[in-house]
Amino acid sequence: TVDCIISNTMGLPGKPSPDMYQRAMHMLSSKGPTTLVYEDSPTGITAATIAKCNVSVIDHYLDLTPTRVRNDINSLNNA
């Protein structure tokens, strides 16, 4: 399920500005400490960090296996 889509075509500043993450969190009624972001670029990592999100660094979208996501969520829940 996709709950929202944010893109650079929406008139928001690009990364490393945190605006896209902040907009997504607002749309999802979420806050940074409860938000998990997967990023593969230094500017994206910076943007997510500024937005106070939990960041999991990946090399490629294929790194997002169900096991990896489940483990990351469990780590956050146990922190």
Side-chain angles (χ1 to χ4, degrees), residues 8-75:
N8 60 355
T9 63
M10 298 174 73
L12 297 168
K15 298 171 186 175
S17 168
D19 291 38
M20 285 192 262
Y21 288 116
Q22 292 168 338
R23 173 71 60 89
M25 289 186 293
H26 175 75
M27 291 174 69
L28 296 168
S29 299
S30 181
K31 296 186 187 308
T34 62
T35 302
L36 176 59
V37 171
Y38 290 93
E39 261 299 344
D40 64 348
S41 71
T43 54
I45 293 165
T46 298
T49 301
I50 293 169
K52 305 210 181 320
C53 298
N54 293 286
V55 182
S56 186
V57 179
I58 59 173
D59 291 322
H60 192 271
Y61 76 91
L62 293 176
D63 293 339
L64 291 175
T65 64
T67 300
R68 164 100 186 246
V69 173
R70 192 170 30 256
N71 289 340
D72 288 345
I73 291 171
N74 287 337
S75 292

